[in-house]
Amino acid sequence: MSLSSPDLDLPACDFTVFGGTGDLALRKLLPGLYERERQRQLHPATRIIGVSRHALDDAGYRDLVTTALFDHVPEDHLEAGAVHRLINRLHHLALDAHDPEDWDLLHGLLKEEVSTSSTSGTGSTGPTRIFYLAVGSDLFGPICQRLDDLGLVDAESRVVLEKPIGADLASSRAVNDAVGQVFEERQVFRIDHYLGKESVQNLLVTRFANIFLEPIWDSRWVDHVQITVSETLGAAGRGDYYDRAGAMRDMVQNHLLQLLCLVAMEPPTYVGGDAHDAVRDEKLKVLRALKPLTGAAVDRDTVRGQYTTYGEEIGHPSTTETFVALRAEVQNWRWAGVPFYLRTGKRLARKESTIEVVFKEPPHAMFPHSEGVTTPNRLTVRMQPDEGMQLHVTAKHPGPGGIRLHPASLDLSYADAFDERSPDAYERLLLDVMRGIPTLFMRRDEVEAAWAWTEPVIEQWQRSAVEPVRYHPGTTGPAAAATLLAREGRTWLGEA
């Protein structure tokens, strides 16, 4: 896995962001690069080039980014020297994708000689060109082709693709084919920011660096798994995109399935070092082992919801789902018969992302005359709001006169346990792009395997023409989501 350190030998990069004035760039990408600048990890010759349709010169773009840094970087991390150094790296090009002259300007800027005695640290003659495509996936292919036509792509170049990659399996393959005409698979970094979260990476360390968990991490000991990603915000501000995607395409097909894979995957031979594909190989096996959800199984094992004010927020009636809950199974030796419950939604009661691994009850009640209550042991992985882990156990309540059982938790909060800030997910992933480490990025076969599993669910919803179940903002979602578990004697843990 990737860990940042002040002495990283990063190459010089020309980091070009298509969509350089968009929300993602200003809220996540540039603040992430700023943190690397603050740690003095960026090579002196690295440049950051924002590309958009806005008529901004370099000075105007630098003003825009400065404002964004003050809006999105914690106040105690703002250092005048670091801000100044980052701002001086910035350039902006107003580019119309259909205007050849605009592309000539980009060609001229990227072909400029960089005045430095050593630009890359890798023996190459120029900076590593990184192209971050924070635009719609329909533009991925045309942009890559244009870059190739201009001779801007070489063996060291890299391209970063933001989700969603296509809207279904066919369009995903078309996008990947178009990008693959220009970039080799090793040069393509498909980003899922959930994989860059500290708690997600710690899940692998917890599983595979601690011997006491792995022997009980299977169907003999695990009762079920719950994965929840809930949001309090609605779709306002990105309604055009969200109404085309919905919760299944926006969240389940990528984020939630990736989390499921990390919980269910077999131990890779190695994690880190040069074994970049070891983790991705194991995740792919999980995706291919998912029990298909088709036809009546979709009606039985999925719930679609929509919060009641959604149409009002986006300005028109819609049948797009803003909430999904579903029951999945991994059909392999380790997980046969263990249900994985996934749910995600907008306008819910809490903003949280958690994984709950719930273990089975003890096979024999050794304290039949005890007082108090017991709950199944479980491991909670918190990705937000407070990154960390909890191991829930049953303990004896202190005091004489008999045994009183009481649920207790062993709590690991990363903020309390380590005197060090947890880097933002994008900050970590951008660092890995510059280092050329693809472990935390999705491979093409992973993306397409995820689409192959989710597409029949979407098609069944469309065939049935049943509208999403309505739920009120600020609640835990549709009541039918609770029924999904209740019919098997289970309940959702926490409050979404």
Side-chain angles (χ1 to χ4, degrees), residues 166-186:
D168 51 29
L169 180 57
S171 59
S172 177
R173 284 174 172 162
V175 170
N176 282 321
D177 284 344
V179 173
Q181 291 292 318
V182 177
F183 291 92
E184 296 180 17
E185 180 63 26
R186 64 176 180 81

Side-chain angles (χ1 to χ4, degrees), residues 448-467:
E448 294 180 1
W451 274 122
W453 188 77
T454 54
E455 189 172 78
V457 178
I458 298 171
E459 291 175 346
Q460 176 64 16
W461 287 345
Q462 293 170 341
R463 280 193 298 268
S464 67
V466 176
E467 293 194 357

Side-chain angles (χ1 to χ4, degrees), residues 17-64:
V17 182
F18 288 85
T21 60
D23 178 70
L24 176 65
L26 298 178
R27 184 168 50 89
K28 289 293 185 181
L29 305 184
L30 288 157
L33 290 169
Y34 164 78
E35 289 289 355
R36 296 302 96 207
E37 180 69 73
R38 191 171 74 92
Q39 297 294 327
R40 295 186 176 273
Q41 291 174 337
L42 299 184
H43 191 284
T46 288
R47 298 184 296 178
I48 303 167
I49 302 160
V51 175
S52 75
R53 300 185 67 176
H54 287 74
L56 291 173
D57 59 11
D58 288 354
Y61 189 55
R62 290 170 178 174
D63 289 341
L64 180 67

Side-chain angles (χ1 to χ4, degrees), residues 150-226:
L150 293 171
L152 295 175
V153 178
D154 58 29
E156 296 302 317
S157 299
R158 294 156 201 163
V159 63
V160 186
L161 307 182
E162 265 291 339
K163 75 167 185 72
I165 300 176
D168 51 29
L169 180 57
S171 59
S172 177
R173 284 174 172 162
V175 170
N176 282 321
D177 284 344
V179 173
Q181 291 292 318
V182 177
F183 291 92
E184 296 180 17
E185 180 63 26
R186 64 176 180 81
Q187 298 174 280
V188 181
F189 291 72
R190 298 172 188 85
I191 197 166
D192 183 335
H193 72 274
Y194 266 71
L195 299 183
K197 290 181 177 292
E198 193 72 42
S199 52
V200 174
Q201 296 187 57
N202 251 307
L203 173 61
L204 292 184
V205 174
T206 300
R207 278 193 62 188
F208 302 132
N210 297 285
I211 192 62
F212 76 99
L213 273 179
E214 185 57 24
I216 60 171
W217 204 264
D218 59 29
S219 60
R220 293 173 298 171
W221 304 103
V222 175
D223 180 76
H224 70 282
V225 177
Q226 299 181 19

Side-chain angles (χ1 to χ4, degrees), residues 23-24 87 91 123 167 196 208 266 268 274 317 335 345 398 437 444 468 483:
D23 178 70
L24 176 65
I87 294 304
H91 303 270
F208 302 132
E266 293 297 320
D274 295 327
W335 295 109
I437 299 176
R444 171 176 180 161
T483 304

Side-chain angles (χ1 to χ4, degrees), residues 122-353:
T122 61
S124 65
T125 57
T128 300
R129 295 194 187 108
I130 298 172
F131 303 101
Y132 198 115
L133 307 190
V135 295
S137 62
D138 58 318
L139 295 175
F140 290 176
I143 288 175
C144 290
Q145 188 58 59
R146 193 60 141 165
L147 294 171
D148 191 40
D149 292 342
L150 293 171
L152 295 175
V153 178
D154 58 29
E156 296 302 317
S157 299
R158 294 156 201 163
V159 63
V160 186
L161 307 182
E162 265 291 339
K163 75 167 185 72
I165 300 176
D168 51 29
L169 180 57
S171 59
S172 177
R173 284 174 172 162
V175 170
N176 282 321
D177 284 344
V179 173
Q181 291 292 318
V182 177
F183 291 92
E184 296 180 17
E185 180 63 26
R186 64 176 180 81
Q187 298 174 280
V188 181
F189 291 72
R190 298 172 188 85
I191 197 166
D192 183 335
H193 72 274
Y194 266 71
L195 299 183
K197 290 181 177 292
E198 193 72 42
S199 52
V200 174
Q201 296 187 57
N202 251 307
L203 173 61
L204 292 184
V205 174
T206 300
R207 278 193 62 188
F208 302 132
N210 297 285
I211 192 62
F212 76 99
L213 273 179
E214 185 57 24
I216 60 171
W217 204 264
D218 59 29
S219 60
R220 293 173 298 171
W221 304 103
V222 175
D223 180 76
H224 70 282
V225 177
Q226 299 181 19
I227 300 175
T228 296
V229 178
S230 63
E231 301 177 78
T232 55
L233 296 177
R238 52 197 298 257
D240 288 345
Y241 157 72
Y242 194 85
D243 202 48
R244 294 192 305 271
M248 178 61 89
R249 291 185 176 94
D250 185 52
M251 294 296 293
V252 177
Q253 185 272 337
N254 39 76
H255 297 330
L256 271 73
L257 286 186
Q258 285 291 309
L259 296 178
L260 185 155
C261 287
L262 292 177
V263 173
M265 62 186 275
E266 293 297 320
T269 305
Y270 296 103
V271 176
D274 295 327
H276 302 319
D277 277 321
V279 171
R280 301 196 291 183
D281 288 343
E282 298 303 332
K283 287 195 296 174
L284 179 63
K285 292 176 185 177
V286 174
L287 291 169
R288 290 177 172 171
L290 285 172
K291 182 179 180 179
L293 276 177
T294 59
V298 174
D299 302 332
R300 182 186 67 246
D301 290 337
T302 70
V303 175
R304 297 173 70 217
Q306 184 191 94
Y307 61 87
T308 54
T309 58
Y310 175 71
E312 179 183 338
E313 286 185 14
I314 65 172
H316 59 82
S318 172
T319 59
T320 297
E321 76 281 355
T322 62
F323 177 98
V324 171
L326 60 84
R327 182 187 189 278
E329 287 188 31
V330 179
Q331 294 183 308
N332 62 16
W333 187 278
R334 180 184 290 261
W335 295 109
V338 176
F340 286 72
Y341 299 103
L342 281 58
R343 64 173 170 169
T344 183
K346 290 186 171 295
R347 290 288 187 196
L348 297 177
R350 294 181 60 189
K351 178 181 176 65
E352 68 173 6
S353 298

Side-chain angles (χ1 to χ4, degrees), residues 464-485:
S464 67
V466 176
E467 293 194 357
V469 181
R470 298 296 192 266
Y471 64 95
H472 291 287
T475 65
T476 58
T483 304
L484 188 67
L485 277 71

